[in-house]
């Protein structure tokens, strides 16, 4: 689950950086798209050539942190923090810097003693500040997921319960584009299955994610498949299972999973014919 969730969250941040509120300027778009495609040498080159742009400053800091071949944490981490705290910059750019700063620190601190540059950074306060003060921004969704991920990774009940409470309260308070709640709802669905096999709650959050929209088309396709399969195998609800299998075939007729979905539909018809539920 963790691998899948991390992939969804990485895409979410890249999507925001590459296609956020910076459209309309060719130089800006080239820099951001190069970084979003993980073409770090090109991103650095373009950033140097457009050094006066705030976006160039952001990309220089991001590549210093996330490009393992040219990593310079002593420059990148403090620079991301400075960008995050620079009130003269746009909110979108500042929040991207803040998310990257906190997430990098969180990840680096997992390897104790290896990255002293990240020691002492309180990434939780950054996440909490973004969630509290920017409830109308999609970045708050990613901050919420990053914040609770380590709570769900723990095995003791109190931490996991705290994670559920934080995310459910966040969903109730969030005022931004619902499409970005997909990461939150998918994480909740996964955790309800892991925690106590509560498939009713899990499918509810998968449906929220699917109906509100998921920006990554592959994850959207996978989520629809999971909805249909959960209804069939875990909830014994053949009517809803058939409904979402048919929707899958309508939306993704050329998917590599389409033949499997057709076979599952055939199984449902057979069960109905035999008088089984």
């Amino acid at each position: 689950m963790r691998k899948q969730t991390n992939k969804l969250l990485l895409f979410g941040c890249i999507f925001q950086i590459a296609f956020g509120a910076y459209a309309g300027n060719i130089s800006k778009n080239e820099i951001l798209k190069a970084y979003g495609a993980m073409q770090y040498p090109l991103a650095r080159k373009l950033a140097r050539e457009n050094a006066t742009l705030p976006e160039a400053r952001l990309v220089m800091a991001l590549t210093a942190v996330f490009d393992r071949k040219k990593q310079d944490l002593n420059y990148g981490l403090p620079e991301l923090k400075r960008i995050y705290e620079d009130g003269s910059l746009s909110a979108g750019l500042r929040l991207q810097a803040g998310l990257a700063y906190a997430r990098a620190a969180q990840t680096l601190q997992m390897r104790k003693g290896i990255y002293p540059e990240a020691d002492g950074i309180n990434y939780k306060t950054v996440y909490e500040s973004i969630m509290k003060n920017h409830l109308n921004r999609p970045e708050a969704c990613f901050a919420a997921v990053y914040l609770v991920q380590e709570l769900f990774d723990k095995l003791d009940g109190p931490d996991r319960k705290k994670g559920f409470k934080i995310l459910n309260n966040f969903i109730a308070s969030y005022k931004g584009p619902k499409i970005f709640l997909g990461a939150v709802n998918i994480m909740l669905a996964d955790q309800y299955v892991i925690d106590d096999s509560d498939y009713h709650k899990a499918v509810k959050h998968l449906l929220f994610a699917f109906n509100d929209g998921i920006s990554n088309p592959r994850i959207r396709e996978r989520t629809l498949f999971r909805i249909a399969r959960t209804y069939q195998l875990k909830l014994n609800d053949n009517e809803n299972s058939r409904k979402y299998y048919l929707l899958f075939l309508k939306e993704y007729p050329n998917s590599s999973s389409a033949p499997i979905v057709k076979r599952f539909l055939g199984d449902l018809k057979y069960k109905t014919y035999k008088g089984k539920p």
Side-chain angles (χ1 to χ4, degrees):
M1 181 281 299
R2 187 186 306 173
K3 189 173 182 181
Q4 177 183 348
T5 304
N6 283 345
K7 184 178 180 182
L8 170 66
L9 299 177
L10 173 64
F11 176 84
C13 286
I14 290 173
F15 178 92
Q16 280 296 294
I17 293 170
F19 303 102
Y22 314 119
N25 184 295
I26 295 176
S27 297
K28 293 178 183 180
N29 282 344
E30 287 178 351
I31 298 169
L32 296 168
K33 287 180 180 178
Y35 177 79
M38 297 185 184
Q39 297 175 348
Y40 297 140
L42 176 60
R44 274 195 302 273
K45 177 178 179 293
L46 293 172
R48 290 193 194 99
E49 293 172 354
N50 298 272
T52 59
L53 293 174
E55 293 78 11
R57 181 184 173 193
L58 173 63
V59 167
M60 288 298 292
L62 288 170
T63 54
V65 172
F66 295 107
D67 183 0
R68 299 294 296 274
K69 294 181 180 180
K70 296 282 187 179
Q71 194 171 57
D72 183 358
L73 297 175
N74 284 316
Y75 162 73
L77 287 173
E79 179 67 352
L80 286 174
K81 184 174 186 287
R82 287 189 289 267
I83 295 171
Y84 173 56
E85 295 175 345
D86 188 344
S88 69
L89 301 175
S90 68
L93 191 143
R94 290 178 53 243
L95 292 175
Q96 284 299 325
L99 277 179
Y101 171 69
R103 183 57 175 164
Q106 181 181 22
T107 304
L108 294 171
Q109 287 178 20
M110 292 177 185
R111 304 184 66 184
K112 298 187 182 298
I114 305 297
Y115 298 103
E117 301 91 342
D119 292 346
I121 295 176
N122 191 339
Y123 55 86
K124 293 181 182 179
T125 61
V126 178
Y127 293 146
E128 290 168 350
S129 176
I130 292 174
M131 291 167 61
K132 178 181 178 180
N133 299 314
H134 302 279
L135 277 171
N136 63 331
R137 299 281 313 188
E139 292 87 357
C141 298
F142 300 110
V145 172
Y146 289 144
L147 178 66
V148 304
Q149 184 173 334
E150 61 186 33
L151 295 176
F152 285 138
D153 286 343
K154 297 179 181 179
L155 298 178
D156 53 336
D159 280 323
R160 294 184 60 78
K161 288 180 180 179
K162 183 178 178 182
F164 284 115
K165 183 178 180 180
I166 288 173
L167 289 189
N168 280 306
N169 287 344
F170 175 78
I171 288 175
S173 303
Y174 179 65
K175 297 177 175 61
K178 286 190 175 182
I179 187 171
F180 293 104
L181 282 174
V184 180
N185 280 304
I186 288 175
M187 173 171 267
L188 277 171
D190 289 336
Q191 296 305 322
Y192 277 124
V193 170
I194 292 171
D195 201 56
D196 54 4
S197 298
D198 192 333
Y199 291 99
H200 285 94
K201 288 183 179 178
V203 81
K204 179 185 77 171
H205 284 284
L206 290 175
L207 283 166
F208 282 153
F210 182 79
N211 290 330
D212 289 340
I214 300 172
S215 55
N216 187 322
R218 284 181 292 181
I219 294 174
R220 180 174 172 80
E221 176 184 338
R222 190 183 307 128
T223 300
L224 181 54
F225 182 89
R226 286 183 64 190
I227 291 168
R229 198 68 172 147
T230 300
Y231 273 124
Q232 181 182 9
L233 293 184
K234 303 300 182 180
L235 299 178
N236 295 315
D237 185 340
N238 289 342
E239 182 177 350
N240 272 314
S241 178
R242 184 180 295 107
K243 172 184 174 180
Y244 288 105
Y245 279 142
L246 290 171
L247 181 59
F248 184 97
L249 293 177
K250 180 180 178 180
E251 293 206 7
Y252 305 105
N254 300 317
S255 167
S256 60
S257 298
I260 301 172
V261 169
K262 290 176 182 178
R263 177 163 58 84
F264 290 158
L265 275 170
D267 293 341
L268 289 174
K269 291 179 181 179
Y270 176 78
K271 287 184 178 182
T272 302
Y273 176 75
K274 290 292 185 179
K276 297 180 180 180

